[in-house]
Amino acid sequence: MKTQVAIIGSGPSGLLLGQLLQRAGIANIIIERKDPAYILSRIRAGVLEQGMVELLREAGVGARLDEEGLVHDGFELAFDGRCERIDLKHLTQGKTVMVYGQTEVTRDLMQARDAAGGTTLYDADDVQLHDLKTDRPYVTFTRNGESQRVDCDYIAGCDGFHGVSRQSIPADSLKVFERVYPFGWLGVLADTPPVNEELVYANHPRGFALCSMRSPTRTRYYVQVGAEEKVEDWSDERFWNELKTRLPNHLAERLITGPSIEKSIAPLRSFVAEPMQYGQLFLLGDAAHIVPPTGAKGLNLAASDVSTLYRILLKVYREGRTDLLQRYSQICLRRVWKAERFSWWMTSLLHKFPDTDDFSQRIQQTELDYYVGSQAGRQTIAENYVGLPYEAVE
Ligand code: APR
Ligand code: PHB
């Protein structure tokens, strides 16, 4: 098979890039290790920055999002028995975020790809990338017991943190920056009404908690747990009790509990691989970087990488601007590192660390108190939370 852009991975990065390229008439094939049902069973994040919402609209998948997504003008920070609202809209001259599950974004993109007649090769085993430093790279894999090959101009590595793309770059051509946090998030999805109209991020001496949602009838709640904890040890009852303990009283009192429909523990990690390009291979999304979920930036960063590569490829194919390809990594990394910083900062501020003693607990509370007590502090939080601007490609 032959195409212009071979996309490895059918997560949000691969699907969104594929959809934008498809609409621009740039041929692409997605090569994915799993099957569609597996991809749609993954419960992930749920807060979209305005930039990502606009990109999804540009990709022609904004209809259900605009109908069902919940526009949030602010969120709450709970600490020291207080609840402080960050008024995103007011602090950012009108910017907001959209609460809409990543699983739904993926579903919309998969449907749009089917409708547009895009090719996705699912169940591809042993995917390998070849000749990345030449102008004739290609991808090989096995499917239904048969060896297959896709020749292309460029390869988009959208295959997540554990994918083959980043691993195809020689170790001496990549510098990796990493921090693994000594805790995880235990998440529960439940068909219960949200405890609060907006998200609540809570700092508590027993650890962090987050109240989020997917719709007016479906909630997503999290509590920080030890890195070694097992999900089997967390009955629904234990989870709800822990969550209640960590919330301010007025919220704990009105929390409505119910049976969990999904429960899982996710580790927290910061990770960046530099550069995000090797020859004709470009890394996007989780393949290149991971953020702890505290700032809701993972999915949104994937979208800004997609936007950058898409706009570069448009100019490459329409105007012959191959010079721009060398700028991909630099453009992405500037925004990536700012989101890394914000996610690390939110994580540091809101979680209990193994060495959190009384002194550091007071420092955390005071830092929160300082930021919410200052217009500049609130603005700093707000402008990062709604998402820093995408850099123009020209
Ligand atoms: N060959 C082919 N496909 C692969 C391979 C491989 N060797 N390894 C992984 N994949 C597929 C996975 O099965 C998955 O469908 O690549 C896809 C990667 O998707 P994600 O992990 O969702 O990564 P990405 O699309 O970059 O999504 C951005 O942001 O909020 C975060 O983690 C969250 O998934 C989210 C991410
Ligand atoms: C979620 O709804 O899953 C969610 C929301 C905000 C975050 C992280 C996760 O910061």
Side-chain angles (χ1 to χ4, degrees):
M1 278 172 280
K2 217 175 161 14
T3 192
Q4 289 173 303
V5 183
I7 300 173
I8 316 299
S10 175
S13 305
L15 284 164
L16 182 52
L17 179 67
Q19 181 63 12
L20 288 161
L21 293 177
Q22 200 78 14
R23 285 168 74 89
I26 299 173
N28 62 93
I29 292 177
I30 298 184
I31 301 154
E32 163 64 49
R33 184 169 58 171
K34 302 283 189 184
D35 60 67
Y38 176 88
I39 293 167
L40 288 174
S41 70
R42 292 186 291 219
I43 305 294
R44 297 270 180 85
V47 176
L48 313 185
E49 294 171 354
Q50 207 156 299
M52 176 163 190
V53 171
E54 280 157 21
L55 192 64
L56 288 166
R57 290 188 188 125
E58 187 179 340
V61 288
R64 194 159 73 95
L65 176 77
D66 282 325
E67 193 150 309
E68 296 177 18
L70 308 172
V71 175
H72 280 209
D73 294 352
F75 70 89
E76 302 273 351
L77 280 172
F79 61 99
D80 202 15
R82 303 155 56 182
C83 229
E84 294 285 344
R85 181 167 188 265
I86 301 296
D87 187 336
L88 297 172
K89 194 170 183 176
H90 179 72
L91 289 160
T92 61
Q93 279 99 45
K95 290 197 184 137
T96 58
V97 293
M98 178 89 92
V99 171
Y100 190 74
Q102 177 175 327
T103 313
E104 303 313 309
V105 172
T106 309
R107 193 189 311 279
D108 295 344
L109 284 164
M110 282 167 87
Q111 276 173 6
R113 187 163 182 86
D114 283 349
T119 306
T120 304
L121 306 173
Y122 292 105
D123 298 310
D125 287 324
D126 192 24
V127 174
Q128 291 185 34
L129 316 187
H130 307 269
D131 292 358
L132 299 172
K133 283 282 200 181
T134 73
D135 56 4
R136 292 181 201 285
Y138 64 98
V139 183
T140 58
F141 50 96
T142 30
R143 221 171 146 245
N144 308 320
E146 259 178 48
S147 301
Q148 298 196 17
R149 169 174 170 150
V150 172
D151 291 276
C152 55
D153 301 332
Y154 305 106
I155 301 177
C158 301
D159 48 354
F161 184 63
H162 300 287
V164 65
S165 298
R166 191 182 67 253
Q167 290 164 24
S168 306
I169 302 177
D172 60 4
S173 296
L174 210 60
K175 181 157 171 61
V176 160
F177 301 82
E178 186 168 32
R179 174 153 306 179
V180 178
Y181 300 86
F183 40 73
W185 278 17
L186 168 64
V188 158
L189 193 68
D191 279 327
T192 53
V195 65
N196 192 54
E197 273 186 13
E198 296 180 338
L199 270 61
V200 182
Y201 290 79
N203 168 294
H204 187 273
R206 288 179 63 86
F208 170 75
L210 169 61
C211 303
S212 181
M213 67 195 74
R214 291 290 175 274
S215 75
T217 57
R218 179 166 285 188
T219 46
R220 181 68 166 164
Y221 294 131
Y222 299 92
V223 294
Q224 172 190 352
V225 294
E228 308 309 321
E229 293 270 355
K230 299 268 169 293
V231 72
E232 303 80 65
D233 295 331
W234 283 86
S235 64
D236 287 1
E237 195 192 358
R238 183 177 173 204
F239 175 84
W240 292 120
N241 284 338
E242 191 60 42
L243 179 63
K244 270 188 200 168
T245 309
R246 296 185 189 184
L247 294 180
N249 287 341
H250 72 284
L251 290 178
E253 279 161 15
R254 63 176 199 234
L255 179 75
I256 297 177
T257 64
S260 63
I261 48 179
E262 197 265 358
K263 197 190 285 165
S264 51
I265 295 181
L268 266 72
R269 180 194 299 270
S270 296
F271 175 93
V272 182
E274 289 186 0
M276 290 169 57
Q277 176 190 7
Y278 178 75
Q280 312 294 70
L281 168 66
F282 299 85
L283 299 179
L284 297 89
D286 280 16
H289 40 72
I290 297 286
V291 287
T294 326
K297 290 284 160 255
L299 177 60
N300 292 299
L301 267 191
S304 57
D305 294 347
V306 167
S307 170
T308 303
L309 187 60
Y310 166 62
R311 295 193 202 291
I312 289 177
L313 289 175
L314 268 185
K315 289 196 195 277
V316 167
Y317 283 111
R318 292 190 176 160
E319 301 164 26
R321 292 286 307 275
T322 48
D323 60 298
L324 292 173
L325 293 164
Q326 309 313 320
R327 295 192 21 218
Y328 169 74
S329 180
Q330 219 181 32
I331 294 176
C332 288
L333 283 170
R334 276 195 284 269
R335 193 172 191 279
V336 166
W337 272 111
K338 286 180 187 136
E340 290 283 344
R341 185 205 69 82
F342 180 64
S343 307
W344 162 84
W345 181 76
M346 287 276 281
T347 303
S348 311
L349 208 57
L350 293 169
H351 290 74
K352 179 183 167 71
F353 285 72
D355 60 354
T356 300
D357 54 12
D358 290 349
F359 178 81
S360 32
Q361 171 71 18
R362 276 284 188 278
I363 290 289
Q364 273 186 341
Q365 285 175 359
T366 306
E367 190 161 0
L368 282 161
D369 186 35
Y370 167 69
Y371 269 86
V372 303
S374 135
Q375 175 77 3
R378 283 176 180 265
Q379 218 154 359
T380 298
I381 296 174
E383 73 181 9
N384 281 280
Y385 195 83
V386 298
L388 296 174
Y390 288 10
E391 222 173 279
V393 172
E394 51 211 356

